[in-house]
Amino acid sequence: MMTHGSFAVPYKVVFCLTMAFLIGCVAAQPVTQPVVSKRAQMHMGTLVTLTVVAPDTSVSEQAMRAGFNEIKRLEQLLSTWRPDTELSLVNAEAGRRAVKVSQETLELVIRSLDMANLTHGGFNIALGPAVQAWNVTERQHVPDDRELQKLKPLVDWTSIQVNRVAQTIFLPRKGMRIDIGGIGKGYAADRAVAEMRRAGAIGGVVALSGDIKTFGMLPEGNGFPVGIQHPRREGELIAIVELKDEAISTAGDYERFFVQDGVRYHHILSPQTLQPVRVCQSVTIIAKEGVVADGLDTGIFVLGPEEGMALVESLPGVEAIIIDAEGTMTVSSGLRDRLRTP
Ligand code: ADP
Ligand code: MG
């Protein structure tokens, strides 16, 4: 995420909320019936779709506004393609000084480091220099491997210095660069949900492209159905799952990629080789928090199907669908009975 907005991102997780589609925009309803409304805007370089279930249209409007405002506010702190954000300043001051940041930026970096620990470094927010060298989003080019290897000392996430008391972040080497593309949308979804709730919404969905967080229920008491995209057949779903107070996120090799000399190059990199990882086609994670679902999908994509699924089974409240490099699908034990065929 937070790459330039002109890049067309095909959906990997398709949010298929039938009720909201039928009702469309805010519709007047009897006082006792909650209203369901849905609206989309472009933020963080991606399509952001909010769905709100609210007691009345005025609360619905407030919740919509609160959700979009929160996402816009976070983008101003966290985007790394704008030079004037907090995180861009942290990157610009690498090797020079610690930068004082907001609670939100600090929290996202701390949660990112938690995800790195959990995935034994598979998830790595210090990969910025390598992500830039590839820049799969903007151009189709394979960087020279010797040049990539020179970046290795700069991608050491264990060297990132976070001072919780002083509320500062310091990247100790010049050229280091935090990249939150693998976790920021999930984090933004969590925070937008919190604001929508505070504004009075009783249920809803925040979807930043394929990073989706749901809360509450639809008026008839159902959860929110979400479709999971087939990694090789565009537009085809592999399953539908109903979510209640859960987030879902998918990392896939089919979203941002190019093919050169028969080789598929995509945007999820191995922190070891700094090359695109080739052990999975897609990893979908369901968790209570968006920040966990988004961080883990990228980290587990790197760990691979076996180690990744073992990690998922060890984490309470986390479920996964992993499709390995050959196209074989594995579903975590707690999710098997919840999947519906599309
Ligand atoms: P998206 O939903 O935007 O496709 P993902 O959650 O799949 O995001 O993460 C991919 C993005 O994460 C990349 O575009 C890059 O910015 C960043 N990234 C790539 N490899 C890693 C990694 N091993 N650890 C953390 N972030 C990564
Ligand atoms: Mg991710």
Side-chain angles (χ1 to χ4, degrees), residues 121-134:
F123 180 81
N124 180 347
I125 50 160
L127 273 183
V131 171
Q132 263 195 329
W134 279 93

Side-chain angles (χ1 to χ4, degrees), residues 5 20 22 52 69 78 80 82 99 109 128 143 164 175 197 292 299 329:
L22 289 177
V52 172
N69 281 345
L78 300 170
T80 45
R82 292 182 181 189
V99 174
V109 171
R164 291 169 196 252
R197 273 205 149 119
V292 172
M329 176 165 109

